[in-house]
Amino acid sequence: MKNNFRVESAEILCVGTEILIGDIVNTNAAYISSRLAEMGINQYHQEVVGDNPDRLRFYLKNALDRADCVIMSGGLGPTYDDLTKETVADLMGRSLYLHERSLERLESYFKGRQIKMTDNNRKQAMIPEGSVVFDNDCGTAPGMAVEDEEKGKIVILLPGPPRELHPMLDNSVIPYLSQFTESVFVSKNINIFGMGESTVASIVDDIMQTSTNPTVAPYAKDSEVRLRITAKGSDKDACASLCDEMIERIRQTEVGRCIYGVDTSLEEALVARLKEKGLKLALAESCTGGMVAKTVTDVSGSSAVFDGGVVSYANEVKKSLLGVSADTLDCFGAVSEQTASEMAEGVKKLMNADIGIALTGIAGPGGGSEEKPVGLVYLGVSGKNGTFTKELRIRNNGRDYVRVSATKQALYAALCEAEIF
Amino acid sequence: MKNNFRVESAEILCVGTEILIGDIVNTNAAYISSRLAEMGINQYHQEVVGDNPDRLRFYLKNALDRADCVIMSGGLGPTYDDLTKETVADLMGRSLYLHERSLERLESYFKGRQIKMTDNNRKQAMIPEGSVVFDNDCGTAPGMAVEDEEKGKIVILLPGPPRELHPMLDNSVIPYLSQFTESVFVSKNINIFGMGESTVASIVDDIMQTSTNPTVAPYAKDSEVRLRITAKGSDKDACASLCDEMIERIRQTEVGRCIYGVDTSLEEALVARLKEKGLKLALAESCTGGMVAKTVTDVSGSSAVFDGGVVSYANEVKKSLLGVSADTLDCFGAVSEQTASEMAEGVKKLMNADIGIALTGIAGPGGGSEEKPVGLVYLGVSGKNGTFTKELRIRNNGRDYVRVSATKQALYAALCEAEIF
């Protein structure tokens, strides 16, 4: 390994008062963490500090005492309160110099966008001496690694905006760090729908408690449960095999019937299944207002299985485009199994699809009644063997929760329907 | 103030290996932070620790040395690796006892959902002696505050799932903490679209550097820029006035023409403007696949201004539902200003709306060519004075980035169009 450095552990230190006051969510830490985990670099602690050089210096020094590498994000911007570089240079006894390549890149970035480069942008090309510089392909601030050869420590500085940080991490930082690592981790996630975390955990409790390599851990998120299987070793393929054996073992338990995939999402599993079977999906959405279509089309290549959908917020649209009968709407209301059923049939026919999925319900916070409370949603599925509906009674944990839960149920229903073709 | 306690500073300490390995994004920290900031409680540092009692104890002890209050989330679940309560009780010299009310609530929670209560759930009703207990209305684990009267320190424990944490924080923890606070902060965000962060910062640089109360700070997010104005004082109204004066001052600068609102979002501003003017919006989406409709209907009450939309992924749907002519598609292609224009007109007519907005483009990662690269999107607007189109050349920073940017541009275009009615 280069310079006899070895990176076995890392800490993430994000800089920004906007994170501390809750103005932005710290997605950078999650992104960096998952990449480090894949490389087998241990992380025991991560933290956030505001734009204050004294505190930044204090926490950075402590983090460097504990970990081989500290990865920082934020504070490389053009404004006066961006002080990460200066603080790191000071702590590590380096001075800053104007890095010519970075200055040229900055100038061409602004020229290409026909924007005038302001003086404060020039500050972004100042680099601590002896650093490895990472070009920024999506923004202005370059990243850098400052190596302390004596102590065997590395500080990596990355820009704060996620769209700049992600490609820099993937394309520059991971290859750079891989010079200093040995063992690998492989993780696989078992995706489960329709069974709660407590139930899953109690079924696989024995396995979780007794397995050390791979380890098994449950996570709950947005009405789904995942079991994360993580194997450690010196070889990627051997780790992957350990994971696969464990996945097979868990498939044999009661959890098995609720497993819909491994390392996937409901929408990815759905698009893949529809492709495999050569089926087309059509969507009619009332309460979810396009969220199901948006989620399906989040998947690249979804155009092969999805021609289109209708967002039918108003009854008039349910009638004119989807062919829901006026009688149905009058007698049973827009939020009813009859309407869901006609919407599903209507959109399937309209789009000339194999499977039509419809949702109509009360997303809240307004619009609920005792008879039809917020969270009541009807799901219609029109497919191979006619049309059926399902009444969902989603807990009223807010509009977003109701809509996301209804969307997940619709995706799962479509996946199950595709299965029987 | 109760017991002579005073909470001027707090640290957030989130517990969970799943955060450290990047499996979930730490949205709890952001939510808690923003609430603390509103109460005028200072935060200088926040951190994440894995499910390891020794490290948890170490970092908790340090955080308690620095701050008056430490708020923890996570590790209250039913499984063997949920150890937050045990660790806190140990550090603070308390024993755990079975809290009757919490046990009853747990039993009724499971009974109401017709799920069998497992033995490991019972562990969730164990509470350190002398704690203030916060009921969990959306899940199983109660929260709690453990007060150390001697040292004047408080540790607050909250469940990890956001849908449980949010209501508990708002309904129980904030009222509890307000016994111990004096000064207040008021923050307002100026929302800016169509001007970059560097430009905004350089225009208001003088104001930012010289203002101490209120302070002014810029943040960039998803093609938008915000200026956050924060005033500190003893009175909410006085703080709000200080903010309002600063907002007025910034409106007078060059930034003013790009300000679309204060403390709002593009979609909220759009729905409010359409309501105000009694206008109806219709949406035709190709590359965004329903994302614009989903975003508009994220706003509660959007049904008053939005009857529906069409997701026209396939050309067949563009023709049959939106009336795009076969000639247009043949001569200019689906991704063209002509198609965008006919889609906007078509959906406006179809939905009998005042404003029709259409998007067609290449979201990527596939489907791009030299002539029509990924990120090329045409926006069509059909409104008061006929129909016009706009060519967007969005940087190819990934499918999600292209779709989100196109969505924001569509919302902003609709907002501007509503303005002229």
Side-chain angles (χ1 to χ4, degrees):
Chain A
M1 272 159 290
K2 187 190 165 196
N3 305 339
N4 301 318
F5 275 24
R6 193 161 165 170
V7 175
E8 291 181 340
S9 62
E11 290 205 11
I12 296 170
L13 172 53
C14 297
V15 184
T17 303
E18 67 271 35
I19 304 175
L20 281 186
I21 58 174
D23 238 35
I24 59 171
V25 175
N26 191 2
T27 54
N28 283 346
Y31 193 80
I32 300 169
S33 294
S34 65
R35 287 291 176 277
L36 292 178
E38 284 164 13
M39 296 184 75
I41 296 174
N42 294 309
Q43 305 161 73
Y44 303 116
H45 182 243
Q46 61 179 225
E47 57 200 323
V48 179
V49 190
D51 301 297
N52 173 294
D54 293 337
R55 274 190 291 272
L56 186 51
R57 193 188 156 102
F58 171 81
Y59 290 109
L60 173 59
K61 191 172 175 308
N62 282 347
L64 269 179
D65 285 344
R66 292 183 296 256
D68 300 327
C69 174
V70 176
I71 301 187
M72 307 177 73
S73 83
L76 302 183
T79 63
Y80 72 97
D81 65 348
D82 290 306
L83 292 164
T84 303
K85 238 164 17 190
E86 291 74 3
T87 306
V88 171
D90 181 53
L91 179 68
M92 299 182 81
R94 311 289 171 97
S95 53
L96 295 164
Y97 73 103
L98 186 70
H99 186 251
E100 282 302 330
R101 188 179 80 229
S102 295
L103 181 64
E104 281 164 24
R105 288 181 61 94
L106 266 172
E107 286 169 343
S108 102
Y109 177 92
F110 283 98
K111 210 175 154 191
R113 308 188 130 204
Q114 298 178 299
I115 304 173
K116 197 174 157 279
M117 180 165 153
T118 56
D119 268 346
N120 51 18
N121 282 116
R122 202 170 305 267
K123 167 165 153 1
Q124 300 189 290
M126 298 295 291
I127 304 285
E129 45 179 9
S131 304
V132 177
V133 175
F134 307 125
D135 292 340
N136 188 335
D137 291 325
C138 303
T140 53
M144 62 212 75
V146 191
E147 301 169 356
D148 183 335
E149 302 204 14
E150 206 179 306
K151 296 185 184 151
K153 304 278 184 175
I154 302 175
V155 180
I156 292 176
L157 289 82
L158 301 174
R163 67 170 188 281
E164 301 177 24
L165 182 142
H166 291 194
M168 188 182 290
L169 190 74
D170 292 345
N171 303 333
S172 303
V173 178
I174 299 299
Y176 167 79
L177 275 178
S178 65
Q179 306 172 86
F180 312 114
T181 57
E182 258 181 357
S183 67
V184 292
F185 278 59
V186 171
S187 281
K188 299 195 180 194
N189 289 290
I190 302 180
N191 304 102
I192 297 158
F193 192 87
M195 189 181 273
E197 187 188 9
S198 292
T199 311
V200 172
S202 70
I203 294 173
V204 296
D205 194 51
D206 265 6
I207 297 180
M208 289 199 296
Q209 300 256 19
T210 54
S211 301
T212 52
N213 194 23
T215 57
V216 179
Y219 304 113
K221 198 191 157 192
D222 291 344
S223 7
E224 289 192 46
V225 175
R226 277 188 293 167
L227 285 173
R228 188 173 176 99
I229 318 294
T230 305
K232 185 181 183 175
S234 57
D235 176 68
K236 262 199 163 168
D237 293 341
C239 288
S241 295
L242 283 176
C243 289
D244 291 339
E245 284 163 27
M246 179 57 79
I247 291 168
E248 213 29 59
R249 192 171 154 200
I250 291 169
R251 278 194 197 277
Q252 303 308 318
T253 69
E254 269 181 80
V255 174
R257 67 179 171 86
C258 292
I259 295 175
Y260 71 80
V262 171
D263 284 330
T264 186
S265 62
L266 274 171
E267 56 271 26
E268 285 167 350
L270 171 61
V271 169
R273 192 63 45 89
L274 291 168
K275 263 190 193 167
E276 208 179 289
K277 301 220 171 185
L279 299 171
K280 292 259 188 181
L281 175 72
L283 299 167
E285 301 183 60
S286 189
C287 57
T288 47
M291 190 184 269
V292 184
K294 180 259 172 204
T295 307
V296 168
T297 59
D298 278 343
V299 181
S300 163
S302 48
S303 56
V305 299
F306 177 63
D307 284 348
V310 171
V311 179
S312 56
Y313 236 45
N315 281 353
E316 205 44 58
V317 179
K318 292 185 183 77
K319 283 190 278 187
S320 65
L321 279 185
L322 300 174
V324 177
S325 82
D327 282 354
T328 299
L329 290 167
D330 287 347
C331 297
F332 304 104
V335 179
S336 63
E337 53 180 0
Q338 290 81 356
T339 299
S341 172
E342 291 182 29
M343 284 171 70
E345 282 171 12
V347 82
K348 182 185 158 198
K349 195 172 154 197
L350 183 71
M351 298 291 173
N352 200 15
D354 302 291
I355 300 172
I357 299 281
L359 286 168
T360 179
I362 319 230
S369 64
E370 206 171 316
E371 201 198 345
K372 295 189 176 178
V374 171
L376 176 65
V377 177
Y378 291 96
L379 167 64
V381 179
S382 183
K384 196 180 180 190
N385 304 315
T387 303
F388 67 92
T389 59
K390 191 174 170 184
E391 181 183 288
L392 312 175
R393 293 202 172 252
I394 299 166
R395 208 177 171 88
N396 181 7
N397 286 338
R399 184 175 177 86
D400 192 53
Y401 179 80
V402 172
R403 282 161 43 103
V404 169
S405 300
T407 296
K408 297 253 176 191
Q409 293 278 359
L411 295 170
Y412 189 65
L415 180 60
C416 295
E417 184 63 27
E419 209 70 68
I420 63 164
F421 265 85
Chain B
M1 270 159 293
K2 187 190 164 194
N3 306 337
N4 301 317
F5 275 22
R6 195 163 164 170
V7 175
E8 290 181 341
S9 62
E11 291 204 11
I12 297 169
L13 173 52
C14 298
V15 184
T17 303
E18 66 271 37
I19 305 175
L20 282 185
I21 58 174
D23 238 34
I24 60 170
V25 175
N26 190 0
T27 55
N28 284 345
Y31 194 80
I32 300 168
S33 293
S34 65
R35 286 292 175 277
L36 292 177
E38 283 164 14
M39 296 184 76
I41 296 175
N42 294 309
Q43 303 161 73
Y44 303 116
H45 182 243
Q46 60 179 225
E47 57 200 324
V48 179
V49 189
D51 301 298
N52 173 295
D54 294 336
R55 275 191 290 272
L56 186 52
R57 193 188 158 101
F58 172 81
Y59 289 109
L60 173 60
K61 191 172 175 307
N62 283 347
L64 269 179
D65 285 343
R66 293 183 296 255
D68 300 327
C69 174
V70 176
I71 301 186
M72 306 177 74
S73 84
L76 302 183
T79 62
Y80 72 97
D81 64 348
D82 290 306
L83 292 163
T84 304
K85 239 166 15 189
E86 290 74 3
T87 307
V88 171
D90 180 54
L91 178 68
M92 298 181 81
R94 311 288 171 98
S95 53
L96 295 164
Y97 73 102
L98 187 69
H99 186 250
E100 282 301 331
R101 189 178 79 230
S102 295
L103 181 63
E104 281 163 25
R105 288 181 61 93
L106 266 172
E107 286 169 343
S108 103
Y109 177 92
F110 283 97
K111 209 176 154 190
R113 307 189 130 203
Q114 297 177 299
I115 304 172
K116 196 173 160 282
M117 182 166 152
T118 57
D119 267 347
N120 51 19
N121 282 116
R122 203 170 305 267
K123 167 165 151 4
Q124 300 189 289
M126 298 296 290
I127 304 285
E129 43 180 10
S131 305
V132 177
V133 175
F134 307 126
D135 292 339
N136 188 336
D137 292 325
C138 303
T140 53
M144 62 212 75
V146 190
E147 301 169 357
D148 183 335
E149 302 204 14
E150 206 180 305
K151 296 185 182 150
K153 305 278 184 174
I154 302 174
V155 180
I156 292 175
L157 289 81
L158 301 174
R163 69 170 188 281
E164 300 177 25
L165 183 142
H166 291 192
M168 188 182 291
L169 191 74
D170 291 346
N171 304 333
S172 304
V173 179
I174 300 298
Y176 167 78
L177 277 177
S178 65
Q179 306 171 87
F180 312 113
T181 58
E182 260 181 355
S183 66
V184 292
F185 278 59
V186 171
S187 282
K188 298 195 181 194
N189 291 290
I190 302 179
N191 304 101
I192 298 159
F193 192 87
M195 189 181 271
E197 186 186 11
S198 290
T199 311
V200 171
S202 69
I203 294 172
V204 297
D205 194 50
D206 265 6
I207 298 180
M208 289 199 296
Q209 300 257 18
T210 55
S211 302
T212 52
N213 195 23
T215 56
V216 179
Y219 304 112
K221 198 192 156 192
D222 290 343
S223 9
E224 290 193 46
V225 176
R226 276 188 295 166
L227 285 172
R228 187 173 177 97
I229 319 294
T230 305
K232 185 181 184 176
S234 56
D235 176 69
K236 260 200 164 167
D237 293 340
C239 288
S241 295
L242 282 175
C243 289
D244 290 339
E245 284 163 28
M246 178 57 79
I247 291 168
E248 214 28 60
R249 192 172 155 199
I250 291 169
R251 278 194 197 277
Q252 302 308 317
T253 68
E254 270 180 81
V255 174
R257 68 178 170 83
C258 291
I259 295 174
Y260 72 80
V262 171
D263 284 332
T264 185
S265 63
L266 274 172
E267 56 272 23
E268 285 167 351
L270 171 61
V271 169
R273 192 66 42 88
L274 292 168
K275 264 190 193 167
E276 207 181 290
K277 302 220 171 184
L279 300 171
K280 292 261 187 178
L281 174 72
L283 299 168
E285 301 182 61
S286 188
C287 58
T288 47
M291 190 185 271
V292 183
K294 180 263 173 201
T295 308
V296 168
T297 58
D298 279 342
V299 181
S300 162
S302 49
S303 56
V305 299
F306 177 65
D307 284 349
V310 171
V311 179
S312 56
Y313 235 44
N315 281 354
E316 206 44 52
V317 179
K318 294 185 182 77
K319 283 191 278 187
S320 64
L321 278 186
L322 300 173
V324 176
S325 81
D327 283 353
T328 299
L329 289 167
D330 287 347
C331 297
F332 304 105
V335 179
S336 64
E337 52 179 1
Q338 290 81 356
T339 299
S341 173
E342 290 182 31
M343 284 170 69
E345 282 171 11
V347 82
K348 183 184 158 199
K349 198 172 152 198
L350 182 71
M351 298 291 172
N352 200 13
D354 302 291
I355 300 173
I357 299 281
L359 285 168
T360 178
I362 319 230
S369 64
E370 206 171 316
E371 201 196 346
K372 296 189 177 178
V374 171
L376 176 67
V377 177
Y378 290 96
L379 167 64
V381 179
S382 183
K384 196 181 180 189
N385 304 314
T387 303
F388 67 91
T389 60
K390 192 174 168 184
E391 181 183 288
L392 310 175
R393 293 201 172 254
I394 299 166
R395 207 177 172 86
N396 181 6
N397 286 340
R399 183 175 178 85
D400 192 54
Y401 180 80
V402 171
R403 281 160 43 103
V404 169
S405 299
T407 296
K408 296 253 175 192
Q409 293 277 359
L411 296 170
Y412 189 65
L415 180 61
C416 295
E417 184 64 26
E419 209 71 68
I420 64 165
F421 264 85

